[in-house]
Amino acid sequence: MLAFESIQEASMSLGRNLTFGETLWFKYTADKSDFYLYCHNTIFLIIFYTMVPLPMVILELMRSNKFDVYKIQPKIRFSLSEMMECYRKVLITFVFAVGPLQFFSYPIIEWVGIRTSLPLPSASEVFWQLLVYFLVEDYANYWLHRMLHHYKWGYDKIHRVHHEYVAPIGFAAPYAHWAEIIILGLASFLGPLIVPCHMLTFWLWFVLRQIEAIETHSGYEFPWSPSKYIPFYGGAIYHDYHHFVGESCHSNFASVFTYCDYLYGTDKGYRYQKEVFEKRREKLRMEDNRDGSTPPFKSE
């Protein structure tokens, strides 16, 4: 990071006055190393992982008929202790897998040019970089995820852990074998490696990716979700199907969008079963007494 002794010196270097955001950034980062700032990423991941699923936890405990109509697999319920056990295991994975991954990846991040210096990126720059990151991550994740299903050893020894949740919950989004965290984590790092960005954009990218993963594992499909307006976005019901079918699933490998599954023909089972599921879900809305006898999806 460029070392300026004062805000005035930083302004002179840029040839203009600092914006409010740049002033805050300068004051916070002036005496901090780039590595220290990079480590913030793990802290943000833990904070957002802890906070974002809480509304779904409350809904799961309330089990109100008003919101149960939006639950994708309403027959499956989780207790508070079960959800907290998932949370505990994920935090352990964060400490022993994500933490070291962040530590050892720093030289690469520094080499490709993830900068912490002024000026801060413009809103348009951030938008286009994030779009590239989502597209790159989605494509790479599709093939890595598909590989873990294709090879029996990869599924049995690694990916099966993530599929312990046949009906996903928000806390289960990063619930996985430590090796899977590293394998699929490579897909998340690929975008910034191809198109280097500012550290703020880097933080934002991983936070948004975490939030997206929590939404797709939430177990709820809300019609008012802003993600409904994102073209080719998969969403919770799209990924929920993948979890329900489990090891035998040959559909819905993509992490964010649906275009890879469509292009490579791995969404045919889902497209058929979605019609069946929607009819079943509509019937559930009309039932006052749910007896838990019929699953929302059929087997592929």
Side-chain angles (χ1 to χ4, degrees):
M1 183 174 66
L2 298 178
F4 299 120
E5 293 183 359
S6 65
I7 293 178
Q8 289 75 19
E9 184 179 346
S11 298
M12 290 177 61
S13 177
L14 294 177
R16 59 171 173 79
N17 292 330
L18 301 186
T19 64
F20 177 72
E22 287 172 335
T23 301
L24 291 179
W25 178 257
F26 176 82
K27 289 180 177 180
Y28 182 73
T29 63
D31 59 347
K32 296 177 177 64
S33 68
D34 287 4
F35 176 71
Y36 181 83
L37 294 173
Y38 176 65
C39 290
H40 282 45
N41 203 41
T42 303
I43 298 173
F44 291 145
L45 287 178
I46 293 175
I47 291 174
F48 280 88
Y49 168 69
T50 301
M51 300 302 295
V52 174
L54 290 182
M56 275 74 77
V57 170
I58 295 173
L59 291 180
E60 186 69 21
L61 296 176
M62 288 174 52
R63 296 314 303 255
S64 166
N65 291 336
K66 182 179 179 180
F67 291 102
D68 267 6
V69 296
Y70 304 118
K71 187 169 173 61
I72 301 170
Q73 297 190 51
K75 305 298 182 181
I76 299 181
R77 303 184 178 216
F78 292 95
S79 66
L80 180 61
S81 61
E82 288 173 326
M83 290 185 282
M84 289 300 98
E85 177 64 12
C86 175
Y87 175 78
R88 183 188 69 83
K89 290 180 177 179
V90 169
L91 285 187
I92 293 175
T93 305
F94 276 166
V95 172
F96 292 102
V98 177
L101 178 62
Q102 293 275 307
F103 179 82
F104 289 111
S105 62
Y106 175 70
I108 300 176
I109 294 300
E110 188 177 33
W111 175 70
V112 300
I114 302 296
R115 65 183 183 89
T116 59
S117 58
L118 296 176
L120 296 182
S122 64
S124 61
E125 179 183 346
V126 171
F127 172 81
W128 289 112
Q129 286 177 334
L130 289 176
L131 179 60
V132 170
Y133 298 167
F134 271 109
L135 292 174
V136 169
E137 191 277 343
D138 189 64
Y139 190 82
N141 186 285
Y142 171 85
W143 287 107
L144 292 171
H145 185 190
R146 188 172 176 179
M147 177 187 70
L148 289 173
H149 276 266
H150 180 75
Y151 295 103
K152 182 174 175 56
W153 185 92
Y155 186 88
D156 290 344
K157 301 298 184 182
I158 299 176
H159 195 47
R160 182 182 295 277
V161 175
H162 185 63
H163 276 274
E164 288 177 9
Y165 285 87
V166 177
I169 56 175
F171 280 140
Y175 179 84
H177 191 283
W178 64 266
E180 179 171 342
I181 296 294
I182 295 175
I183 293 170
L184 298 185
L186 296 175
S188 298
F189 276 100
L190 193 57
L193 295 182
I194 297 173
V195 183
C197 61
H198 193 277
M199 187 64 74
L200 278 175
T201 310
F202 189 81
W203 291 346
L204 181 60
W205 154 237
F206 279 93
V207 167
L208 290 177
R209 181 65 184 90
Q210 178 84 303
I211 293 174
E212 186 278 330
I214 291 171
E215 181 190 21
T216 57
H217 288 82
S218 67
Y220 288 86
E221 182 82 353
F222 297 115
W224 57 77
S225 173
S227 61
K228 292 284 187 181
Y229 300 97
I230 301 175
F232 308 109
Y233 183 72
I237 196 170
Y238 190 81
H239 194 68
D240 202 283
Y241 172 79
H242 178 83
H243 271 264
F244 180 83
V245 178
E247 180 179 4
S248 62
C249 187
H250 303 292
S251 295
N252 302 16
F253 295 112
S255 59
V256 181
F257 303 108
T258 60
Y259 72 93
C260 278
D261 284 299
Y262 178 79
L263 289 175
Y264 299 112
T266 51
D267 66 344
K268 294 178 181 179
Y270 167 72
R271 280 189 284 166
Y272 168 73
Q273 294 291 353
K274 184 180 180 182
E275 296 179 7
V276 176
F277 172 68
E278 288 297 340
K279 291 178 182 178
R280 174 59 183 161
R281 194 179 182 195
E282 185 62 29
K283 184 178 178 181
L284 285 175
R285 289 194 180 106
M286 305 300 295
E287 291 178 354
D288 293 326
N289 181 22
R290 299 184 175 96
D291 59 13
S293 59
T294 307
F297 294 112
K298 296 179 181 177
S299 172
E300 283 190 323

